[in-house]
Amino acid sequence: RPLVGHVMALLAVFEEAAVLPPEPSSEADTLIHALIQTQAALTKSTNAAVRTWFAEALLRSDALGSEPVPRDRLTSRTLEAILTYAASHPPAARPAVLAGLREFNLGQTDLDLIAHLYEKARNRLKSTGRDIHKVYDTQRQAMPFR
């Protein structure tokens, strides 16, 4: 149940930044599905290629000197690390990774949608002097599932 709160907090961040697609829409459904499935793949995949890809994304983020990134849940920092890594190491260019993500009904277009909306949210929040990670932390604390 606590993992649900992380996805809900990310959706709340998108809503606060005014980038959450309207419901009902296929884009909103796709975003919700993609976030849930990304978290599922991150926390439950046993596919070696997927595990390595996520590990590389999170290690690279640590090496860049950012704050510690949790490895057992999809937070704003974890998502940012994954999306940053995916931009230069797209799953579509790694058939084994893409196949492993597809086990969770997750594809390159799903990651592209999340990346687009995340970047838009980060930029909108930044333009008003807010940090996306602080907004996430505040939203996370307000979620019923801890």
Side-chain angles (χ1 to χ4, degrees):
R1 290 185 94 186
L3 294 178
V4 172
H6 294 287
V7 171
M8 289 172 59
L10 287 167
L11 291 168
V13 168
F14 290 151
E15 182 174 37
E16 189 169 327
V19 301
L20 187 65
E23 289 190 78
S25 72
S26 62
E27 190 177 40
D29 293 344
T30 300
L31 174 63
I32 293 165
H33 175 267
L35 288 171
I36 291 168
Q37 295 309 104
T38 299
Q39 179 159 264
L42 174 68
T43 60
K44 296 178 182 175
S45 180
T46 57
N47 180 294
V50 170
R51 300 292 329 142
T52 299
W53 187 79
F54 279 130
E56 289 170 358
L58 301 176
L59 285 173
R60 177 173 281 196
S61 175
D62 289 347
L64 295 175
S66 65
E67 290 191 32
V69 175
R71 279 141 173 75
D72 60 346
R73 59 195 175 277
L74 192 63
T75 67
S76 62
R77 293 185 194 291
T78 307
L79 182 59
E80 185 171 279
I82 292 167
L83 296 174
T84 299
Y85 189 72
S88 59
H89 299 82
R94 294 180 168 191
V97 173
L98 192 56
L101 292 175
R102 285 192 178 132
E103 292 173 15
F104 291 86
N105 296 312
L106 187 65
Q108 184 68 52
T109 57
D110 297 309
L111 293 174
D112 292 344
L113 173 64
I114 297 171
H116 170 72
L117 293 173
Y118 185 88
E119 182 69 21
K120 207 169 164 182
R122 186 174 55 191
N123 289 339
R124 284 212 179 147
L125 292 169
K126 188 176 182 180
S127 74
T128 61
R130 295 181 290 165
D131 176 77
I132 195 166
H133 303 301
K134 289 180 182 174
V135 172
Y136 169 82
D137 290 340
T138 300
Q139 291 292 349
R140 180 67 188 106
Q141 291 304 314
M143 292 299 133
F145 304 114
R146 295 199 200 282

